[in-house]
């Protein structure tokens, strides 16, 4: 952990070398996500509710997805640029060092500007929790924390899958962006609003609904209490992700450079 914090400090100091650029990048990220949610604001201003969900409830819904994606993008950036690590032959050097491979890949790059989106998500959470979206109990508060943390874990797993594909193709698969970048767009609504087929895919194939739609039903008193524990179940998704990583490492052949 000390070594990882050391790398974090290095990346943060590097990002702050050009402070104006750093803060402008943060502002750009904030404007993108704000623009996405403005569509919800305009719709609710016209129709009042969407499928029975109010503004505070949809704010909570989007904040959960935004927090999970932001944390994953910030700390898993090394996995997101794994294709560059392979093409630059940096993975050859990583393999001869006496540290876990995945740990070293994570340390290759960190994106502190994503913390701006995490702070935006925190602000939305504070507003939504204080505006009557949920009748809070200690278990509901625990469920919300699990939604965010496990959501970040699921996005981490998706980044890992995308990186593992690079062992075989040397490039990312753009189709996976449906689950990596897409949730920032369609995650502004509970996934159930898109219909049963989409909900089934996001429950059993890529378990994003287990950290968003189903726990939200419990928070909004639309479902049983055990829905609040489904974020923990979603972490089973990380097992095949880890196995795929091990398969990719065994498949890897040095570039010779």
């Amino acid at each position: 952990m000390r070594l990882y914090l050391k790398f974090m400090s290095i990346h943060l100091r590097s990002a702050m070398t050009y402070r104006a650029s750093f803060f402008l990048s943060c502002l750009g990220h904030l404007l993108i996500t704000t623009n996405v949610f403005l569509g919800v604001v305009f719709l609710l201003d016209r129709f009042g509710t969407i499928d029975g969900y109010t503004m505070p409830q949809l704010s909570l819904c989007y904040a959960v997805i935004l927090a999970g994606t932001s944390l994953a993008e910030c700390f898993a950036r090394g996995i997101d640029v794994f294709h560059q690590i392979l093409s630059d032959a940096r993975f050859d050097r990583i393999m001869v060092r006496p540290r876990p491979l995945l740990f070293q890949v994570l340390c290759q790059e960190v994106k502190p500007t994503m913390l701006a989106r995490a702070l935006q998500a925190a602000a939305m959470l504070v507003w939504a929790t204080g505006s009557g979206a949920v009748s809070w109990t200690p278990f509901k508060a625990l469920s919300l924390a699990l939604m965010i943390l496990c959501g970040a874990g699921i996005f981490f797993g998706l980044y890992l899958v995308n990186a593992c594909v690079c062992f075989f193709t040397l490039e990312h698969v753009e189709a996976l962006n449906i689950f990596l970048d897409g949730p920032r767009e369609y995650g502004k609504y509970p996934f159930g609003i898109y219909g049963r087929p989409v909900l089934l895919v996001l429950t059993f194939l890529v378990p994003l609904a287990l950290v968003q739609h189903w726990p939200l039903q419990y928070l909004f008193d639309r479902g049983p209490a055990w829905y609040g524990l489904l974020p923990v179940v979603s972490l089973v998704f990380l097992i095949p992700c880890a196995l795929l990583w091990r398969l990719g490492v065994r498949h890897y052949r040095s570039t010779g450079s």
Side-chain angles (χ1 to χ4, degrees):
M1 179 58 71
R2 288 181 58 189
L3 181 60
Y4 182 73
L5 292 176
K6 182 68 174 179
F7 273 104
M8 281 286 296
S9 175
I10 293 171
H11 286 298
L12 183 58
R13 289 200 301 270
S14 175
M16 293 299 290
T17 301
Y18 300 98
R19 296 189 179 184
S21 176
F22 174 80
F23 288 115
L24 286 174
S25 295
C26 291
L27 179 61
H29 292 308
L30 290 175
L31 290 176
I32 291 172
T33 50
T34 300
N35 183 62
V36 169
F37 195 70
L38 278 177
V40 179
V41 175
F42 295 146
L43 280 174
L44 287 173
D45 183 62
R46 176 66 177 84
F47 298 105
T49 64
I50 297 177
D51 197 29
Y53 295 101
T54 63
M55 173 64 77
Q57 291 175 333
L58 291 178
S59 297
L60 183 64
C61 169
Y62 187 57
V64 167
I65 289 294
L66 185 60
T69 56
S70 301
L71 291 174
E73 280 189 283
C74 180
F75 299 107
R77 180 63 178 173
I79 304 176
D80 192 34
V81 297
F82 188 67
H83 63 291
Q84 297 177 9
I85 294 175
L86 289 180
S87 60
D88 295 342
R90 281 184 279 165
F91 197 66
D92 292 358
R93 297 195 297 270
I94 287 174
M95 294 189 75
V96 299
R97 293 171 181 164
R99 292 289 180 179
L101 299 179
L102 186 56
F103 170 79
Q104 293 187 65
V105 171
L106 287 173
C107 292
Q108 293 296 303
E109 189 169 347
V110 176
K111 200 172 183 180
T113 54
M114 287 297 105
L115 290 176
R117 285 181 176 174
L119 292 175
Q120 181 186 19
M124 294 180 70
L125 283 171
V126 170
W127 180 79
T129 53
S131 60
V134 179
S135 300
W136 291 104
T137 64
F139 185 67
K140 286 186 176 181
L142 174 62
S143 179
L144 178 61
L146 290 175
M147 290 166 67
I148 295 172
L149 295 177
C150 296
I154 295 303
F155 285 109
F156 177 90
L158 289 169
Y159 280 120
L160 189 59
V161 170
N162 210 12
C164 293
V165 173
C166 297
F167 281 118
F168 306 94
T169 66
L170 298 181
E171 290 291 340
H172 286 160
V173 176
E174 292 297 327
L176 285 176
N177 286 333
I178 297 173
F179 303 108
L180 291 170
D181 298 326
R184 277 198 303 272
E185 175 63 36
Y186 57 78
K188 58 190 176 185
Y189 304 114
F191 294 134
I193 206 171
Y194 299 107
R196 185 175 179 81
V198 173
L199 185 59
L200 289 175
V201 169
L202 295 179
T203 299
F204 297 104
L205 182 60
V206 180
L208 292 175
L210 298 185
V211 297
Q212 193 243 42
H213 174 80
W214 297 113
L216 283 176
Q217 303 310 301
Y218 164 62
L219 294 184
F220 300 154
D221 297 319
R222 296 185 175 194
W226 62 270
Y227 280 4
L229 294 176
L230 287 178
V232 178
V233 179
S234 71
L235 296 180
V236 175
F237 177 72
L238 297 180
I239 297 176
C241 296
L243 294 176
L244 185 59
W245 170 259
R246 295 183 62 180
L247 176 64
V249 171
R250 288 199 300 269
H251 175 83
Y252 176 72
R253 296 294 180 268
S254 172
T255 61
S257 44

